[in-house]
PDB file of all heavy atoms in Angstrom:
ATOM      1  N   ALA A 160      42.087 -16.942 -13.760  1.00 95.00           N
ATOM      2  CA  ALA A 160      42.924 -15.906 -14.356  1.00 95.00           C
ATOM      3  C   ALA A 160      44.361 -16.091 -13.857  1.00 95.00           C
ATOM      4  O   ALA A 160      44.581 -16.668 -12.785  1.00 95.00           O
ATOM      5  CB  ALA A 160      42.413 -14.519 -13.967  1.00 95.00           C
ATOM      6  N   PRO A 161      45.342 -15.626 -14.625  1.00 94.00           N
ATOM      7  CA  PRO A 161      46.733 -15.798 -14.201  1.00 94.00           C
ATOM      8  C   PRO A 161      47.013 -15.304 -12.786  1.00 94.00           C
ATOM      9  O   PRO A 161      47.701 -15.983 -12.011  1.00 94.00           O
ATOM     10  CB  PRO A 161      47.520 -14.997 -15.252  1.00 94.00           C
ATOM     11  CG  PRO A 161      46.677 -15.071 -16.469  1.00 94.00           C
ATOM     12  CD  PRO A 161      45.263 -15.007 -15.973  1.00 94.00           C
ATOM     13  N   ASP A 162      46.473 -14.125 -12.417  1.00 94.00           N
ATOM     14  CA  ASP A 162      46.784 -13.590 -11.093  1.00 94.00           C
ATOM     15  C   ASP A 162      46.127 -14.387  -9.959  1.00 94.00           C
ATOM     16  O   ASP A 162      46.442 -14.178  -8.787  1.00 94.00           O
ATOM     17  CB  ASP A 162      46.389 -12.121 -10.997  1.00 94.00           C
ATOM     18  CG  ASP A 162      44.901 -11.888 -11.248  1.00 94.00           C
ATOM     19  OD1 ASP A 162      44.174 -12.865 -11.502  1.00 94.00           O
ATOM     20  OD2 ASP A 162      44.468 -10.723 -11.199  1.00 94.00           O
ATOM     21  N   GLU A 163      45.248 -15.325 -10.321  1.00 96.00           N
ATOM     22  CA  GLU A 163      44.616 -16.167  -9.306  1.00 96.00           C
ATOM     23  C   GLU A 163      45.399 -17.453  -9.047  1.00 96.00           C
ATOM     24  O   GLU A 163      45.158 -18.130  -8.046  1.00 96.00           O
ATOM     25  CB  GLU A 163      43.189 -16.525  -9.730  1.00 96.00           C
ATOM     26  CG  GLU A 163      42.250 -15.335  -9.808  1.00 96.00           C
ATOM     27  CD  GLU A 163      40.885 -15.720 -10.321  1.00 96.00           C
ATOM     28  OE1 GLU A 163      40.801 -16.353 -11.402  1.00 96.00           O
ATOM     29  OE2 GLU A 163      39.883 -15.393  -9.641  1.00 96.00           O
ATOM     30  N   VAL A 164      46.331 -17.785  -9.948  1.00 95.00           N
ATOM     31  CA  VAL A 164      47.069 -19.038  -9.792  1.00 95.00           C
ATOM     32  C   VAL A 164      48.577 -18.848  -9.661  1.00 95.00           C
ATOM     33  O   VAL A 164      49.265 -19.702  -9.087  1.00 95.00           O
ATOM     34  CB  VAL A 164      46.773 -20.003 -10.963  1.00 95.00           C
ATOM     35  CG1 VAL A 164      45.318 -20.414 -10.971  1.00 95.00           C
ATOM     36  CG2 VAL A 164      47.164 -19.372 -12.297  1.00 95.00           C
ATOM     37  N   LEU A 165      49.107 -17.754 -10.198  1.00 95.00           N
ATOM     38  CA  LEU A 165      50.553 -17.547 -10.111  1.00 95.00           C
ATOM     39  C   LEU A 165      50.969 -17.434  -8.645  1.00 95.00           C
ATOM     40  O   LEU A 165      50.337 -16.719  -7.864  1.00 95.00           O
ATOM     41  CB  LEU A 165      50.962 -16.294 -10.878  1.00 95.00           C
ATOM     42  CG  LEU A 165      50.742 -16.345 -12.392  1.00 95.00           C
ATOM     43  CD1 LEU A 165      51.227 -15.058 -13.043  1.00 95.00           C
ATOM     44  CD2 LEU A 165      51.432 -17.548 -13.008  1.00 95.00           C
ATOM     45  N   GLY A 166      52.016 -18.150  -8.303  1.00 95.00           N
ATOM     46  CA  GLY A 166      52.465 -18.181  -6.917  1.00 95.00           C
ATOM     47  C   GLY A 166      51.813 -19.298  -6.110  1.00 95.00           C
ATOM     48  O   GLY A 166      52.110 -19.454  -4.923  1.00 95.00           O
ATOM     49  N   LYS A 167      50.938 -20.092  -6.762  1.00 95.00           N
ATOM     50  CA  LYS A 167      50.261 -21.174  -6.061  1.00 95.00           C
ATOM     51  C   LYS A 167      50.600 -22.518  -6.693  1.00 95.00           C
ATOM     52  O   LYS A 167      51.020 -22.590  -7.841  1.00 95.00           O
ATOM     53  CB  LYS A 167      48.741 -20.951  -6.081  1.00 95.00           C
ATOM     54  CG  LYS A 167      48.318 -19.670  -5.374  1.00 95.00           C
ATOM     55  CD  LYS A 167      46.817 -19.489  -5.422  1.00 95.00           C
ATOM     56  CE  LYS A 167      46.406 -18.191  -4.722  1.00 95.00           C
ATOM     57  NZ  LYS A 167      44.932 -17.957  -4.791  1.00 95.00           N
ATOM     58  N   ASN A 168      50.362 -23.575  -5.959  1.00 95.00           N
ATOM     59  CA  ASN A 168      50.644 -24.923  -6.424  1.00 95.00           C
ATOM     60  C   ASN A 168      49.478 -25.457  -7.267  1.00 95.00           C
ATOM     61  O   ASN A 168      48.337 -25.040  -7.105  1.00 95.00           O
ATOM     62  CB  ASN A 168      50.892 -25.851  -5.230  1.00 95.00           C
ATOM     63  CG  ASN A 168      51.372 -27.226  -5.648  1.00 95.00           C
ATOM     64  OD1 ASN A 168      50.590 -28.083  -6.013  1.00 95.00           O
ATOM     65  ND2 ASN A 168      52.677 -27.430  -5.579  1.00 95.00           N
ATOM     66  N   HIS A 169      49.785 -26.433  -8.126  1.00 93.00           N
ATOM     67  CA  HIS A 169      48.764 -27.032  -8.986  1.00 93.00           C
ATOM     68  C   HIS A 169      47.625 -27.695  -8.209  1.00 93.00           C
ATOM     69  O   HIS A 169      46.547 -27.936  -8.772  1.00 93.00           O
ATOM     70  CB  HIS A 169      49.392 -28.086  -9.903  1.00 93.00           C
ATOM     71  CG  HIS A 169      50.036 -27.520 -11.123  1.00 93.00           C
ATOM     72  ND1 HIS A 169      51.374 -27.211 -11.180  1.00 93.00           N
ATOM     73  CD2 HIS A 169      49.531 -27.204 -12.345  1.00 93.00           C
ATOM     74  CE1 HIS A 169      51.671 -26.739 -12.378  1.00 93.00           C
ATOM     75  NE2 HIS A 169      50.571 -26.719 -13.112  1.00 93.00           N
ATOM     76  N   ARG A 170      47.859 -28.011  -6.956  1.00 94.00           N
ATOM     77  CA  ARG A 170      46.826 -28.742  -6.218  1.00 94.00           C
ATOM     78  C   ARG A 170      45.516 -27.960  -6.085  1.00 94.00           C
ATOM     79  O   ARG A 170      44.500 -28.531  -5.711  1.00 94.00           O
ATOM     80  CB  ARG A 170      47.344 -29.140  -4.842  1.00 94.00           C
ATOM     81  CG  ARG A 170      47.477 -28.020  -3.828  1.00 94.00           C
ATOM     82  CD  ARG A 170      47.836 -28.559  -2.450  1.00 94.00           C
ATOM     83  NE  ARG A 170      49.125 -29.183  -2.462  1.00 94.00           N
ATOM     84  CZ  ARG A 170      50.279 -28.534  -2.255  1.00 94.00           C
ATOM     85  NH1 ARG A 170      50.266 -27.223  -2.026  1.00 94.00           N
ATOM     86  NH2 ARG A 170      51.425 -29.160  -2.272  1.00 94.00           N
ATOM     87  N   LEU A 171      45.552 -26.664  -6.390  1.00 95.00           N
ATOM     88  CA  LEU A 171      44.293 -25.909  -6.321  1.00 95.00           C
ATOM     89  C   LEU A 171      43.275 -26.430  -7.324  1.00 95.00           C
ATOM     90  O   LEU A 171      42.073 -26.143  -7.218  1.00 95.00           O
ATOM     91  CB  LEU A 171      44.539 -24.410  -6.521  1.00 95.00           C
ATOM     92  CG  LEU A 171      45.040 -23.894  -7.887  1.00 95.00           C
ATOM     93  CD1 LEU A 171      43.915 -23.685  -8.869  1.00 95.00           C
ATOM     94  CD2 LEU A 171      45.800 -22.592  -7.710  1.00 95.00           C
ATOM     95  N   LEU A 172      43.728 -27.238  -8.321  1.00 96.00           N
ATOM     96  CA  LEU A 172      42.806 -27.835  -9.278  1.00 96.00           C
ATOM     97  C   LEU A 172      42.200 -29.143  -8.765  1.00 96.00           C
ATOM     98  O   LEU A 172      41.290 -29.686  -9.392  1.00 96.00           O
ATOM     99  CB  LEU A 172      43.531 -28.116 -10.606  1.00 96.00           C
ATOM    100  CG  LEU A 172      44.104 -26.915 -11.360  1.00 96.00           C
ATOM    101  CD1 LEU A 172      44.821 -27.383 -12.620  1.00 96.00           C
ATOM    102  CD2 LEU A 172      43.015 -25.918 -11.709  1.00 96.00           C
ATOM    103  N   GLN A 173      42.691 -29.634  -7.644  1.00 96.00           N
ATOM    104  CA  GLN A 173      42.188 -30.897  -7.111  1.00 96.00           C
ATOM    105  C   GLN A 173      40.908 -30.660  -6.303  1.00 96.00           C
ATOM    106  O   GLN A 173      40.649 -29.561  -5.821  1.00 96.00           O
ATOM    107  CB  GLN A 173      43.257 -31.566  -6.260  1.00 96.00           C
ATOM    108  CG  GLN A 173      44.528 -31.913  -7.037  1.00 96.00           C
ATOM    109  CD  GLN A 173      45.667 -32.377  -6.150  1.00 96.00           C
ATOM    110  OE1 GLN A 173      45.443 -32.804  -5.016  1.00 96.00           O
ATOM    111  NE2 GLN A 173      46.885 -32.300  -6.667  1.00 96.00           N
ATOM    112  N   GLY A 174      40.128 -31.748  -6.173  1.00 95.00           N
ATOM    113  CA  GLY A 174      38.864 -31.664  -5.451  1.00 95.00           C
ATOM    114  C   GLY A 174      38.503 -32.971  -4.796  1.00 95.00           C
ATOM    115  O   GLY A 174      39.337 -33.888  -4.685  1.00 95.00           O
ATOM    116  N   PRO A 175      37.251 -33.119  -4.385  1.00 94.00           N
ATOM    117  CA  PRO A 175      36.837 -34.288  -3.596  1.00 94.00           C
ATOM    118  C   PRO A 175      36.993 -35.614  -4.323  1.00 94.00           C
ATOM    119  O   PRO A 175      37.213 -36.651  -3.668  1.00 94.00           O
ATOM    120  CB  PRO A 175      35.368 -33.989  -3.280  1.00 94.00           C
ATOM    121  CG  PRO A 175      34.951 -32.963  -4.294  1.00 94.00           C
ATOM    122  CD  PRO A 175      36.157 -32.155  -4.557  1.00 94.00           C
ATOM    123  N   ASP A 176      36.885 -35.651  -5.656  1.00 93.00           N
ATOM    124  CA  ASP A 176      36.976 -36.918  -6.385  1.00 93.00           C
ATOM    125  C   ASP A 176      38.301 -37.077  -7.124  1.00 93.00           C
ATOM    126  O   ASP A 176      38.413 -37.911  -8.039  1.00 93.00           O
ATOM    127  CB  ASP A 176      35.816 -37.035  -7.377  1.00 93.00           C
ATOM    128  CG  ASP A 176      34.473 -37.222  -6.673  1.00 93.00           C
ATOM    129  OD1 ASP A 176      34.476 -37.810  -5.576  1.00 93.00           O
ATOM    130  OD2 ASP A 176      33.454 -36.770  -7.220  1.00 93.00           O
ATOM    131  N   THR A 177      39.274 -36.294  -6.753  1.00 95.00           N
ATOM    132  CA  THR A 177      40.599 -36.446  -7.358  1.00 95.00           C
ATOM    133  C   THR A 177      41.287 -37.663  -6.758  1.00 95.00           C
ATOM    134  O   THR A 177      41.442 -37.766  -5.534  1.00 95.00           O
ATOM    135  CB  THR A 177      41.466 -35.195  -7.119  1.00 95.00           C
ATOM    136  OG1 THR A 177      40.828 -34.053  -7.695  1.00 95.00           O
ATOM    137  CG2 THR A 177      42.838 -35.374  -7.753  1.00 95.00           C
ATOM    138  N   ASP A 178      41.680 -38.607  -7.613  1.00 95.00           N
ATOM    139  CA  ASP A 178      42.328 -39.842  -7.160  1.00 95.00           C
ATOM    140  C   ASP A 178      43.723 -39.528  -6.621  1.00 95.00           C
ATOM    141  O   ASP A 178      44.498 -38.800  -7.249  1.00 95.00           O
ATOM    142  CB  ASP A 178      42.417 -40.829  -8.331  1.00 95.00           C
ATOM    143  CG  ASP A 178      42.832 -42.222  -7.889  1.00 95.00           C
ATOM    144  OD1 ASP A 178      43.342 -42.378  -6.761  1.00 95.00           O
ATOM    145  OD2 ASP A 178      42.651 -43.154  -8.683  1.00 95.00           O
ATOM    146  N   GLU A 179      44.066 -40.089  -5.503  1.00 95.00           N
ATOM    147  CA  GLU A 179      45.358 -39.827  -4.872  1.00 95.00           C
ATOM    148  C   GLU A 179      46.510 -40.496  -5.627  1.00 95.00           C
ATOM    149  O   GLU A 179      47.645 -40.016  -5.575  1.00 95.00           O
ATOM    150  CB  GLU A 179      45.335 -40.307  -3.426  1.00 95.00           C
ATOM    151  CG  GLU A 179      46.666 -40.188  -2.682  1.00 95.00           C
ATOM    152  CD  GLU A 179      47.204 -38.762  -2.612  1.00 95.00           C
ATOM    153  OE1 GLU A 179      46.384 -37.815  -2.674  1.00 95.00           O
ATOM    154  OE2 GLU A 179      48.436 -38.600  -2.512  1.00 95.00           O
ATOM    155  N   LYS A 180      46.237 -41.592  -6.363  1.00 96.00           N
ATOM    156  CA  LYS A 180      47.321 -42.321  -7.020  1.00 96.00           C
ATOM    157  C   LYS A 180      48.063 -41.466  -8.061  1.00 96.00           C
ATOM    158  O   LYS A 180      49.294 -41.389  -8.029  1.00 96.00           O
ATOM    159  CB  LYS A 180      46.787 -43.597  -7.664  1.00 96.00           C
ATOM    160  CG  LYS A 180      46.366 -44.659  -6.641  1.00 96.00           C
ATOM    161  CD  LYS A 180      45.894 -45.922  -7.341  1.00 96.00           C
ATOM    162  CE  LYS A 180      45.485 -46.972  -6.317  1.00 96.00           C
ATOM    163  NZ  LYS A 180      44.983 -48.221  -6.971  1.00 96.00           N
ATOM    164  N   PRO A 181      47.375 -40.838  -9.008  1.00 95.00           N
ATOM    165  CA  PRO A 181      48.113 -39.986  -9.958  1.00 95.00           C
ATOM    166  C   PRO A 181      48.764 -38.780  -9.279  1.00 95.00           C
ATOM    167  O   PRO A 181      49.834 -38.333  -9.696  1.00 95.00           O
ATOM    168  CB  PRO A 181      47.049 -39.549 -10.966  1.00 95.00           C
ATOM    169  CG  PRO A 181      45.750 -39.747 -10.271  1.00 95.00           C
ATOM    170  CD  PRO A 181      45.949 -40.908  -9.374  1.00 95.00           C
ATOM    171  N   VAL A 182      48.134 -38.264  -8.230  1.00 95.00           N
ATOM    172  CA  VAL A 182      48.733 -37.161  -7.490  1.00 95.00           C
ATOM    173  C   VAL A 182      50.046 -37.606  -6.860  1.00 95.00           C
ATOM    174  O   VAL A 182      51.062 -36.903  -6.922  1.00 95.00           O
ATOM    175  CB  VAL A 182      47.771 -36.629  -6.410  1.00 95.00           C
ATOM    176  CG1 VAL A 182      48.460 -35.574  -5.543  1.00 95.00           C
ATOM    177  CG2 VAL A 182      46.514 -36.047  -7.045  1.00 95.00           C
ATOM    178  N   ALA A 183      50.051 -38.804  -6.268  1.00 95.00           N
ATOM    179  CA  ALA A 183      51.274 -39.340  -5.659  1.00 95.00           C
ATOM    180  C   ALA A 183      52.344 -39.595  -6.711  1.00 95.00           C
ATOM    181  O   ALA A 183      53.538 -39.375  -6.472  1.00 95.00           O
ATOM    182  CB  ALA A 183      50.951 -40.618  -4.897  1.00 95.00           C
ATOM    183  N   ALA A 184      51.918 -40.046  -7.908  1.00 95.00           N
ATOM    184  CA  ALA A 184      52.880 -40.305  -8.980  1.00 95.00           C
ATOM    185  C   ALA A 184      53.554 -39.006  -9.416  1.00 95.00           C
ATOM    186  O   ALA A 184      54.774 -38.975  -9.657  1.00 95.00           O
ATOM    187  CB  ALA A 184      52.169 -40.955 -10.162  1.00 95.00           C
ATOM    188  N   MET A 185      52.785 -37.937  -9.506  1.00 95.00           N
ATOM    189  CA  MET A 185      53.375 -36.641  -9.869  1.00 95.00           C
ATOM    190  C   MET A 185      54.319 -36.159  -8.775  1.00 95.00           C
ATOM    191  O   MET A 185      55.416 -35.668  -9.062  1.00 95.00           O
ATOM    192  CB  MET A 185      52.269 -35.611 -10.105  1.00 95.00           C
ATOM    193  CG  MET A 185      51.483 -35.818 -11.378  1.00 95.00           C
ATOM    194  SD  MET A 185      50.384 -34.420 -11.768  1.00 95.00           S
ATOM    195  CE  MET A 185      49.182 -34.568 -10.441  1.00 95.00           C
ATOM    196  N   ARG A 186      53.905 -36.317  -7.521  1.00 93.00           N
ATOM    197  CA  ARG A 186      54.726 -35.876  -6.402  1.00 93.00           C
ATOM    198  C   ARG A 186      56.061 -36.635  -6.380  1.00 93.00           C
ATOM    199  O   ARG A 186      57.135 -36.041  -6.175  1.00 93.00           O
ATOM    200  CB  ARG A 186      53.968 -36.083  -5.095  1.00 93.00           C
ATOM    201  CG  ARG A 186      54.673 -35.483  -3.882  1.00 93.00           C
ATOM    202  CD  ARG A 186      53.926 -35.821  -2.594  1.00 93.00           C
ATOM    203  NE  ARG A 186      52.525 -35.403  -2.664  1.00 93.00           N
ATOM    204  CZ  ARG A 186      51.500 -36.239  -2.589  1.00 93.00           C
ATOM    205  NH1 ARG A 186      51.700 -37.541  -2.455  1.00 93.00           N
ATOM    206  NH2 ARG A 186      50.247 -35.783  -2.653  1.00 93.00           N
ATOM    207  N   GLU A 187      55.997 -37.923  -6.629  1.00 95.00           N
ATOM    208  CA  GLU A 187      57.218 -38.737  -6.620  1.00 95.00           C
ATOM    209  C   GLU A 187      58.137 -38.355  -7.777  1.00 95.00           C
ATOM    210  O   GLU A 187      59.361 -38.265  -7.612  1.00 95.00           O
ATOM    211  CB  GLU A 187      56.841 -40.218  -6.709  1.00 95.00           C
ATOM    212  CG  GLU A 187      58.052 -41.148  -6.688  1.00 95.00           C
ATOM    213  CD  GLU A 187      57.656 -42.611  -6.750  1.00 95.00           C
ATOM    214  OE1 GLU A 187      56.442 -42.904  -6.630  1.00 95.00           O
ATOM    215  OE2 GLU A 187      58.546 -43.462  -6.920  1.00 95.00           O
ATOM    216  N   ALA A 188      57.556 -38.138  -8.980  1.00 94.00           N
ATOM    217  CA  ALA A 188      58.364 -37.778 -10.141  1.00 94.00           C
ATOM    218  C   ALA A 188      59.056 -36.427  -9.933  1.00 94.00           C
ATOM    219  O   ALA A 188      60.239 -36.266 -10.261  1.00 94.00           O
ATOM    220  CB  ALA A 188      57.487 -37.732 -11.392  1.00 94.00           C
ATOM    221  N   ILE A 189      58.335 -35.475  -9.376  1.00 94.00           N
ATOM    222  CA  ILE A 189      58.929 -34.162  -9.117  1.00 94.00           C
ATOM    223  C   ILE A 189      60.050 -34.282  -8.093  1.00 94.00           C
ATOM    224  O   ILE A 189      61.115 -33.669  -8.245  1.00 94.00           O
ATOM    225  CB  ILE A 189      57.840 -33.184  -8.643  1.00 94.00           C
ATOM    226  CG1 ILE A 189      56.887 -32.859  -9.797  1.00 94.00           C
ATOM    227  CG2 ILE A 189      58.477 -31.899  -8.092  1.00 94.00           C
ATOM    228  CD1 ILE A 189      55.694 -32.021  -9.403  1.00 94.00           C
ATOM    229  N   GLY A 190      59.825 -35.103  -7.070  1.00 92.00           N
ATOM    230  CA  GLY A 190      60.862 -35.296  -6.063  1.00 92.00           C
ATOM    231  C   GLY A 190      62.108 -35.951  -6.626  1.00 92.00           C
ATOM    232  O   GLY A 190      63.219 -35.731  -6.143  1.00 92.00           O
ATOM    233  N   SER A 191      61.930 -36.772  -7.689  1.00 94.00           N
ATOM    234  CA  SER A 191      63.054 -37.479  -8.305  1.00 94.00           C
ATOM    235  C   SER A 191      63.563 -36.781  -9.556  1.00 94.00           C
ATOM    236  O   SER A 191      64.448 -37.301 -10.241  1.00 94.00           O
ATOM    237  CB  SER A 191      62.640 -38.912  -8.658  1.00 94.00           C
ATOM    238  OG  SER A 191      62.188 -39.612  -7.527  1.00 94.00           O
ATOM    239  N   GLU A 192      62.985 -35.629  -9.890  1.00 94.00           N
ATOM    240  CA  GLU A 192      63.342 -34.866 -11.093  1.00 94.00           C
ATOM    241  C   GLU A 192      63.192 -35.729 -12.343  1.00 94.00           C
ATOM    242  O   GLU A 192      64.082 -35.815 -13.198  1.00 94.00           O
ATOM    243  CB  GLU A 192      64.762 -34.305 -10.986  1.00 94.00           C
ATOM    244  CG  GLU A 192      64.942 -33.324  -9.845  1.00 94.00           C
ATOM    245  CD  GLU A 192      66.323 -32.723  -9.793  1.00 94.00           C
ATOM    246  OE1 GLU A 192      67.065 -32.852 -10.795  1.00 94.00           O
ATOM    247  OE2 GLU A 192      66.677 -32.122  -8.763  1.00 94.00           O
ATOM    248  N   GLU A 193      62.044 -36.368 -12.470  1.00 94.00           N
ATOM    249  CA  GLU A 193      61.762 -37.239 -13.610  1.00 94.00           C
ATOM    250  C   GLU A 193      60.507 -36.769 -14.342  1.00 94.00           C
ATOM    251  O   GLU A 193      59.695 -36.016 -13.807  1.00 94.00           O
ATOM    252  CB  GLU A 193      61.565 -38.686 -13.138  1.00 94.00           C
ATOM    253  CG  GLU A 193      62.803 -39.302 -12.487  1.00 94.00           C
ATOM    254  CD  GLU A 193      62.533 -40.692 -11.990  1.00 94.00           C
ATOM    255  OE1 GLU A 193      61.346 -41.088 -11.932  1.00 94.00           O
ATOM    256  OE2 GLU A 193      63.493 -41.410 -11.651  1.00 94.00           O
ATOM    257  N   ARG A 194      60.355 -37.241 -15.574  1.00 93.00           N
ATOM    258  CA  ARG A 194      59.151 -36.972 -16.343  1.00 93.00           C
ATOM    259  C   ARG A 194      58.023 -37.883 -15.873  1.00 93.00           C
ATOM    260  O   ARG A 194      58.265 -38.997 -15.401  1.00 93.00           O
ATOM    261  CB  ARG A 194      59.399 -37.231 -17.831  1.00 93.00           C
ATOM    262  CG  ARG A 194      60.441 -36.309 -18.473  1.00 93.00           C
ATOM    263  CD  ARG A 194      60.753 -36.791 -19.876  1.00 93.00           C
ATOM    264  NE  ARG A 194      61.697 -35.903 -20.537  1.00 93.00           N
ATOM    265  CZ  ARG A 194      61.366 -34.934 -21.373  1.00 93.00           C
ATOM    266  NH1 ARG A 194      60.076 -34.742 -21.648  1.00 93.00           N
ATOM    267  NH2 ARG A 194      62.263 -34.162 -21.930  1.00 93.00           N
ATOM    268  N   VAL A 195      56.806 -37.389 -16.061  1.00 94.00           N
ATOM    269  CA  VAL A 195      55.655 -38.216 -15.694  1.00 94.00           C
ATOM    270  C   VAL A 195      54.425 -37.744 -16.464  1.00 94.00           C
ATOM    271  O   VAL A 195      54.322 -36.555 -16.803  1.00 94.00           O
ATOM    272  CB  VAL A 195      55.379 -38.137 -14.169  1.00 94.00           C
ATOM    273  CG1 VAL A 195      54.941 -36.731 -13.771  1.00 94.00           C
ATOM    274  CG2 VAL A 195      54.343 -39.163 -13.749  1.00 94.00           C
ATOM    275  N   THR A 196      53.535 -38.685 -16.777  1.00 95.00           N
ATOM    276  CA  THR A 196      52.251 -38.368 -17.398  1.00 95.00           C
ATOM    277  C   THR A 196      51.163 -39.138 -16.666  1.00 95.00           C
ATOM    278  O   THR A 196      51.283 -40.353 -16.475  1.00 95.00           O
ATOM    279  CB  THR A 196      52.225 -38.756 -18.891  1.00 95.00           C
ATOM    280  OG1 THR A 196      53.221 -38.005 -19.596  1.00 95.00           O
ATOM    281  CG2 THR A 196      50.868 -38.468 -19.509  1.00 95.00           C
ATOM    282  N   VAL A 197      50.135 -38.435 -16.242  1.00 95.00           N
ATOM    283  CA  VAL A 197      49.034 -39.068 -15.507  1.00 95.00           C
ATOM    284  C   VAL A 197      47.714 -38.500 -16.019  1.00 95.00           C
ATOM    285  O   VAL A 197      47.668 -37.470 -16.691  1.00 95.00           O
ATOM    286  CB  VAL A 197      49.137 -38.805 -13.984  1.00 95.00           C
ATOM    287  CG1 VAL A 197      50.436 -39.374 -13.424  1.00 95.00           C
ATOM    288  CG2 VAL A 197      49.032 -37.317 -13.678  1.00 95.00           C
ATOM    289  N   GLU A 198      46.647 -39.224 -15.682  1.00 94.00           N
ATOM    290  CA  GLU A 198      45.294 -38.744 -15.955  1.00 94.00           C
ATOM    291  C   GLU A 198      44.546 -38.681 -14.637  1.00 94.00           C
ATOM    292  O   GLU A 198      44.570 -39.639 -13.859  1.00 94.00           O
ATOM    293  CB  GLU A 198      44.582 -39.684 -16.937  1.00 94.00           C
ATOM    294  CG  GLU A 198      45.235 -39.711 -18.310  1.00 94.00           C
ATOM    295  CD  GLU A 198      44.544 -40.655 -19.284  1.00 94.00           C
ATOM    296  OE1 GLU A 198      43.545 -41.302 -18.863  1.00 94.00           O
ATOM    297  OE2 GLU A 198      44.985 -40.752 -20.437  1.00 94.00           O
TER     298      GLU A 198
END
């Protein structure tokens, strides 16, 4: 629900089998203020 995620980071959707590579790509793009698309 919205009140369960607002104010929190997207990483709450990550879990034990989430690959670190796309996560790192998103982190780098945000740090550089760039667009990015990952799966």
